Amino acid sequence: MYINISTYVTTGNQEGFERWAKLNNLKEAARTFNYLSENNLLNYDDFRQHVSDIEASVKVADQRIAQINSELSTQKVIQKHCDSYRLCRKVIEDCKSAKNPKAYRTKHQAEYQLHDSLKKELQDLGVTKIPSSNKVQKLIENFESEQATTVREKQELQKKQKTLDIIQQNFTALLDAPEISSDLLPAKKEPVSVTREK
């Protein structure tokens, strides 16, 4: 990152520090220019647009992660309800083969009530036909995979954001920087006029 020499210590080996800082600043200026050049961002408006695009992409990734989290928790609730519903359904189906169905139903009243409440909750979640455990598990795995991918994409975008923040700070510092000291640049030779003697 570009170093503002005037904000650092003014005692000790000031000359050595200034020389090092100026060389460092030249390298950072070169890195900044290279990044801007490689990414075709030499126009400041293009650079600002690129920064805005990255910020928008991070927001989109955040929204998608929130959406996936919501879908994931819904699918986990559906999975839990479906598993419980299947157990209750088995109890209800066993009533058909019971010797005394009325006594069986009285004995398993809690399962009947749970069955009815689970059926209603699943309908509220948009489930009209009970999916297989494998189908729901596969859906959950797909959401988890998409979540991991989206989180990685967001992290990459955030790395780019940090780089762009440094580039922007360097860019601003370079615009405000005083002339680079001539003792770091090769000395300019004065043009010599050569005249031929007659």
Side-chain angles (χ1 to χ4, degrees):
M1 198 156 151
Y2 193 85
I3 295 172
N4 184 347
I5 298 166
S6 63
T7 61
Y8 283 88
V9 286
T10 56
T11 59
N13 189 3
Q14 183 179 1
E15 189 177 309
F17 173 77
E18 281 184 18
R19 181 161 178 75
W20 170 84
K22 288 175 183 176
L23 285 171
N24 179 72
N25 289 347
L26 281 172
K27 289 177 187 175
E28 285 307 315
R31 282 191 196 114
T32 299
F33 179 78
N34 286 342
Y35 181 90
L36 294 171
S37 181
E38 287 167 6
N39 291 283
N40 198 22
L41 299 171
L42 291 174
N43 180 322
Y44 192 69
D45 291 337
D46 293 343
F47 176 75
R48 292 297 312 143
Q49 184 60 49
H50 185 65
V51 170
S52 296
D53 292 345
I54 296 291
E55 287 171 0
S57 297
V58 169
K59 285 179 185 172
V60 167
D62 271 336
Q63 290 168 352
R64 183 64 189 138
I65 289 168
Q67 184 182 8
I68 292 169
N69 286 340
S70 173
E71 290 284 343
L72 199 51
S73 38
T74 300
Q75 290 305 316
K76 286 181 179 179
V77 168
I78 289 172
Q79 182 183 44
K80 184 179 171 188
H81 284 0
C82 285
D83 290 345
S84 299
Y85 181 85
R86 281 189 203 90
L87 293 173
C88 294
R89 189 80 195 143
K90 179 159 178 20
V91 170
I92 290 169
E93 287 172 358
D94 288 348
C95 180
K96 295 172 187 173
S97 60
K99 291 179 184 175
N100 185 348
K102 192 172 183 179
Y104 181 89
R105 187 176 174 111
T106 305
K107 182 180 176 186
H108 295 284
Q109 189 61 36
E111 285 88 348
Y112 276 87
Q113 288 175 347
L114 183 59
H115 172 270
D116 293 341
S117 68
L118 286 171
K119 187 175 181 179
K120 184 183 181 323
E121 285 184 40
L122 285 167
Q123 286 173 344
D124 290 347
L125 290 168
V127 178
T128 52
K129 184 181 177 188
I130 304 300
S132 69
S133 293
N134 290 341
K135 186 176 181 181
V136 177
Q137 185 58 39
K138 185 74 176 163
L139 202 55
I140 287 172
E141 288 170 7
N142 288 344
F143 278 125
E144 287 173 340
S145 173
E146 187 181 353
Q147 181 186 44
T149 302
T150 309
V151 166
R152 277 194 303 274
E153 287 171 4
K154 180 187 169 188
Q155 288 169 342
E156 288 300 315
L157 288 167
Q158 287 175 321
K159 281 182 190 175
K160 280 186 183 177
Q161 252 184 332
K162 285 182 182 175
T163 301
L164 290 172
D165 285 346
I166 291 171
I167 296 289
Q168 190 166 15
Q169 289 173 25
N170 286 350
F171 197 71
T172 304
L174 287 169
L175 291 177
D176 295 338
E179 289 276 327
I180 295 171
S181 177
S182 60
D183 61 334
L184 292 176
L185 300 174
K188 286 186 179 179
K189 294 183 179 177
E190 291 294 322
V192 179
S193 66
V194 179
T195 55
R196 188 181 295 174
E197 289 186 24
K198 294 183 180 180

